[in-house]
């Protein structure tokens, strides 16, 4: 067998589409995760334990490993587990071959279906009215300015206008700064610091380099880090939006080579950091970068205030 295989091209292959070409289709979708009955081992088909995070190119079989003892990873690890009789190089060629197959010649092929996210039901407190770019609402502009992140926020956040769902139609419309989570719903924070979501809550993922992930509790901390560091190559950022979602991300990031953790310098944040590092040993606690402050945004705000205090007094 000859021919050079560029590994980077394999990383861009959709795992969901790849499995569909092999005749395996998801039975449901939650957020950005697709759930399959495992195709790597014998199963009763009563619980879909095989999970794919297609946007991140990762999968895990939560029911356990098959004969190869591989229970998760990227598309290459999937190929090795799916074709245990083939060598490493043969698996690479097989993945490429399947990906390049003319789908019209695949009897069982059907394109990946779009599933409505779970939880998009009645019962949420707020509903979206509309969104606008940052800058049209004076109060929200001043709010972001006071947090020291206005300029960077213009590219990453939106103004969201919403109202309560449990009151009459003539109720007032509220506003806040918002960003979307993995369900396509809006997380938000208003100028008084009230935080909630429109629809189901979830983590937020800002796509970047697949071999480096940075983790934050809140979006303002992520933006503060971007403002200070100005990285030339943006890593993938995962914002928990709530520390209760920590367990949800551990399996997603386990095989990513570089993991930097920027959780809060308080008791809950330190507990989350300790749990994460205990389960993912190569993750690195970076909270020392804002030592003396609760979080990254507090550090940025403090630096902004110091700069204002050091301004020379104008001569009269």
């Amino acid at each position: 067998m000859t021919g050079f295989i560029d590994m980077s091209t394999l990383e861009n292959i959709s795992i969901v589409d790849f499995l569909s070409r092999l005749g395996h289709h998801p039975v449901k979708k939650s957020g950005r995760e697709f759930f399959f009955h495992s195709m790597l081992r014998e199963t009763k088909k009563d619980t879909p334990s095989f999970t794919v995070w297609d946007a991140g190119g990762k999968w895990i079989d939560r029911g356990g490993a098959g004969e190869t003892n591989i229970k998760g990873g990227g598309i290459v690890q999937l190929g090795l587990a799916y074709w245990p009789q083939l060598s490493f190089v043969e698996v690479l060629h097989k993945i490429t071959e399947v990906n390049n197959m003319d789908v019209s010649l695949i009897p069982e092929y059907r394109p990946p279906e779009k599933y409505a996210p779970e939880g998009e039901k009645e019962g949420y407190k707020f509903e979206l009215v509309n969104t606008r770019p940052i800058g049209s609402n004076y109060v929200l502009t001043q709010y972001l300015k006071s947090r020291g992140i206005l300029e960077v926020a213009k590219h990453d956040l939106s103004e969201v206008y919403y109202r309560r769902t449990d009151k009459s139609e003539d109720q007032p419309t509220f506003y806040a700064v918002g960003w979307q989570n993995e369900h396509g719903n809006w997380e938000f924070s208003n100028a008084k610091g009230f935080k909630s979501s429109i629809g189901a809550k979830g983590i937020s993922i800002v796509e970047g380099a697949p071999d480096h992930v940075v983790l934050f509790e809140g979006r303002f901390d992520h933006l503060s880090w971007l403002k200070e560091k100005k990285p030339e190559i943006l890593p993938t950022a995962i914002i928990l939006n709530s520390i209760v979602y920590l367990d949800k991300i551990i399996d997603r990031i386990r095989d990513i080579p570089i993991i930097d953790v920027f959780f809060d310098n308080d008791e809950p944040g330190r507990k989350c950091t300790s749990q994460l590092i205990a389960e993912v040993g190569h993750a690195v606690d970076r909270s020392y970068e804002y030592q003396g402050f609760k979080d990254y945004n507090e550090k940025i705000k403090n630096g902004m205030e110091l700069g204002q205090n050091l301004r020379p007094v104008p001569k009269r």
Side-chain angles (χ1 to χ4, degrees), residues 8 12 19 61 87 93 124 127 181 216 264:
S8 64
N12 294 324
L19 288 172
D61 192 341
S87 69
H93 281 275
Y124 294 118
E127 62 182 2
N181 62 31
F216 297 89
D264 290 0

Side-chain angles (χ1 to χ4, degrees), residues 243-259:
I243 59 175
V244 301
Y245 295 119
L246 177 64
D247 290 337
K248 187 173 184 178
I249 70 168
I250 289 177
D251 286 330
R252 292 185 176 191
I253 68 172
R254 192 181 299 277
D255 296 320
I256 296 176
I258 304 173
I259 304 172

